Amino acid sequence: MSDWDRFVSAFLNVNVAARYWPDILAGVAVTVLIGLAVVVTGILVGLGLAVLRSLGNRFANLLIVQAVDVLRSLPPLVIILVIYFGLPNVGIALPSFVVLWLSLSAVLAAFAEEVFWAGITAVPQGQWMAARSTGLTFGQALTSVVLPQAVRIAIPPLTNRTISITKNTALGSAIGVSEILGRAMSAQSFAGNATPLTIAAVLYVLIFIPLVVASRSLERRYAWRRR
Amino acid sequence: MDVFLSEFFNVDIMVKVAPLIFKGFLQTLLLCVILVPIGLCGGLGAMLLATSRSRFVRWPAVAAIDFFRSFPPLVLLIFIYSGLPFAGIRLSPLAAICIAFLLNAASYYGEIYRAGVESVPRGQVEAGRSTGLGAAQTFLYITLPQAVRNVLPELLSNTVELIKLTTLASVISAPELLHSADLARSLTYNTSPLIMAAALYLIMLWPLVRIIRRLEHKLAG
């Protein structure tokens, strides 16, 4: 058997692929659903926190900034393991996919808050004053003048961050969520062959390449240069 | 409350597992000392290839960067560590971690450097060349320092991400902080060791996160 044949039978084995393909494909639904749930929850909570911060309550802002810093400093896998192994022992048992969703949403919310807040502060003060002087209330000025501009500024950095946090759904395999990687790893050990991992790799690339390419063109479109 | 304290902040258990956790902490520091420099250098290489004048160099480089950016680092690590042995290539956990995270980190750092280089006005290069500097000298002494200054917050925050990535090594049972803590957790049936690990990560990374926050404000203002 030549090297090439050995490589093909280890990584591109058609028999193994045919056998485990449906199971791994079922993991795509889990990965995509958890990913979408994380994106929606994380971004909405992040936006909510940034708006809360713009109200200027000193106590609330201190809490938000510290919480965001902690979530930016902690590795997501540490958060996942603490929640997954710790909470059942104090009487709160959550299914592993809920743990994954909550942990990643919290991490994304922290980053999104930071990005939206940077966007809000980047909108010139004159916009606020003009909006208020035309008779809009604070809330109206925020939602129909400032936020639309802030969100536009926030889109490119937020896209990158969202993609890299969504990719962390693969960490679910460490706590037994049956997403793509988890299923591929167990198929790999059943089959004694690396083909399931190749399938998983291809599926991840199919899911994320369009997002990465889209984020590249978004960045081009909204490119802003310092000074 | 007592249940909560004895589950998450059990001092007896923390004292007992401290030596094990400390050993893991040193191994995580070792990983950082290896990974951050090779990531920064690899990123510079990736950027140079991706901005090359020849499209036969540029396109494959950009494709590779996008490929590794769309690949979850854990999948890459598992593929290299438990996939490659099927092809007869058996790597030590440390080697697998270095290769996987180099590919991932170099792609991200590369993109950041590229944004930095693009933010330096063309006049700077022209001025450098017209004073008699060569292309390489202009890049090294004129473009790169300004580029790095402009994207310093992004470079630092990617470094924080890279350090956080080292926790993935625990999945392939490589010795590092989270692995030690998780081992201690399974031996003591208690979450306190994980809290200790979390505290150590906070001690390592919180100062960096604060510095990034400062820099972002300074550059934006």
Side-chain angles (χ1 to χ4, degrees):
Chain A
M1 202 156 84
S2 73
D3 282 350
W4 174 246
D5 288 339
R6 197 174 302 138
F7 177 82
V8 168
S9 84
F11 289 97
L12 305 166
N13 192 314
V14 180
N15 294 331
V16 175
R19 174 121 182 247
Y20 293 100
W21 165 252
D23 189 45
I24 300 173
L25 200 61
V28 172
V30 179
T31 294
V32 169
L33 279 181
I34 296 181
L36 284 177
V38 166
V39 170
V40 172
T41 325
I43 288 181
L44 284 183
V45 172
L47 185 60
L49 288 175
V51 168
L52 190 63
R53 197 167 159 194
S54 73
L55 298 181
N57 179 315
R58 196 176 291 174
F59 179 68
N61 287 6
L62 193 70
L63 268 183
I64 293 174
V65 172
Q66 302 311 319
V68 164
D69 277 0
V70 169
L71 287 170
R72 273 174 88 172
S73 312
L74 283 179
L77 190 54
V78 173
I79 302 175
I80 291 172
L81 292 186
V82 167
I83 297 183
Y84 184 70
F85 289 114
L87 289 189
N89 291 345
V90 292
I92 309 166
L94 297 173
S96 52
F97 75 91
V98 176
V99 172
L100 184 63
W101 167 61
L102 286 178
S103 316
L104 296 183
S105 300
V107 173
L108 179 56
F111 280 104
E113 188 279 327
E114 230 10 64
V115 172
F116 282 128
W117 174 248
I120 291 176
T121 48
V123 174
Q125 275 295 316
Q127 296 285 323
W128 278 106
M129 295 173 190
R132 294 305 299 276
S133 62
T134 58
L136 297 183
T137 63
F138 178 85
Q140 286 171 326
L142 184 72
T143 52
S144 41
V145 176
V146 176
L147 275 188
Q149 301 181 63
V151 168
R152 196 184 144 91
I153 298 171
I155 281 176
L158 192 60
T159 323
N160 277 332
R161 200 49 86 174
T162 306
I163 293 173
S164 69
I165 290 170
T166 318
K167 286 191 314 196
N168 281 340
T169 50
L171 297 185
S173 60
I175 56 169
V177 178
S178 53
E179 41 69 70
I180 301 175
L181 181 63
R183 284 166 187 260
M185 280 164 78
S186 53
Q188 176 221 352
S189 57
F190 276 130
N193 185 288
T195 309
L197 287 180
T198 312
I199 298 176
V202 171
L203 289 174
Y204 276 110
V205 169
L206 286 181
I207 295 174
F208 285 107
I209 272 263
L211 298 177
V212 169
V213 172
S215 81
R216 196 186 273 284
S217 64
L218 263 180
E219 230 162 68
R220 280 272 143 75
R221 172 137 27 121
Y222 294 108
W224 68 295
R225 288 168 211 283
R226 290 203 175 88
R227 271 172 277 227
Chain B
M1 193 61 200
D2 282 350
V3 181
F4 180 82
L5 279 182
S6 80
E7 174 61 27
F8 290 102
F9 299 94
N10 194 319
V11 180
D12 293 342
I13 286 177
M14 284 188 173
V15 170
K16 210 163 34 177
V17 300
L20 178 62
I21 302 279
F22 184 68
K23 220 173 128 200
F25 180 60
L26 290 183
Q27 273 146 342
T28 286
L29 286 184
L30 176 72
L31 277 181
C32 297
V33 169
I34 299 173
L35 285 172
V36 173
I38 64 170
L40 281 168
C41 295
L44 205 53
M47 181 270 285
L48 289 175
L49 292 175
T51 54
S52 157
R53 227 164 264 205
S54 154
R55 69 176 68 140
F56 297 106
V57 177
R58 191 171 67 234
W59 288 354
V62 171
I65 286 178
D66 278 356
F67 179 78
F68 288 115
R69 287 205 311 161
S70 56
F71 226 76
L74 183 58
V75 178
L76 196 59
L77 180 63
I78 301 279
F79 195 86
I80 290 175
Y81 182 70
S82 44
L84 288 187
F86 290 102
I89 306 168
R90 197 169 294 277
L91 293 168
S92 72
L94 184 65
I97 291 163
C98 287
I99 295 173
F101 294 168
L102 171 64
L103 292 172
N104 179 69
S107 309
Y108 276 97
Y109 278 130
E111 276 300 287
I112 296 169
Y113 283 124
R114 194 180 52 79
V117 167
E118 281 174 4
S119 74
V120 177
R122 271 213 56 79
Q124 293 286 322
V125 178
E126 287 157 7
R129 293 307 302 276
S130 61
T131 57
L133 295 180
Q137 285 174 316
T138 309
F139 178 75
L140 209 58
Y141 299 122
I142 311 278
T143 312
L144 192 58
Q146 300 186 64
V148 167
R149 193 201 56 185
N150 285 350
V151 292
L152 197 57
E154 286 84 355
L155 282 176
L156 276 178
S157 81
N158 196 51
T159 305
V160 170
E161 292 303 308
L162 180 56
I163 295 174
K164 281 154 62 177
L165 268 191
T166 59
T167 55
L168 301 192
S170 65
V171 177
I172 61 167
S173 297
E176 53 81 56
L177 178 52
L178 184 58
H179 184 245
S180 299
D182 199 40
L183 189 68
R185 176 199 59 78
S186 63
L187 291 174
T188 57
Y189 298 104
N190 189 284
T191 318
S192 306
L194 286 178
I195 296 291
M196 278 177 90
L200 285 171
Y201 282 112
L202 275 184
I203 292 171
M204 268 196 285
L205 298 174
W206 198 332
L208 265 177
V209 169
R210 301 293 317 183
I211 293 172
I212 294 166
R213 197 184 270 285
R214 272 251 171 94
L215 282 175
E216 278 168 352
H217 280 280
K218 214 167 118 195
L219 279 173

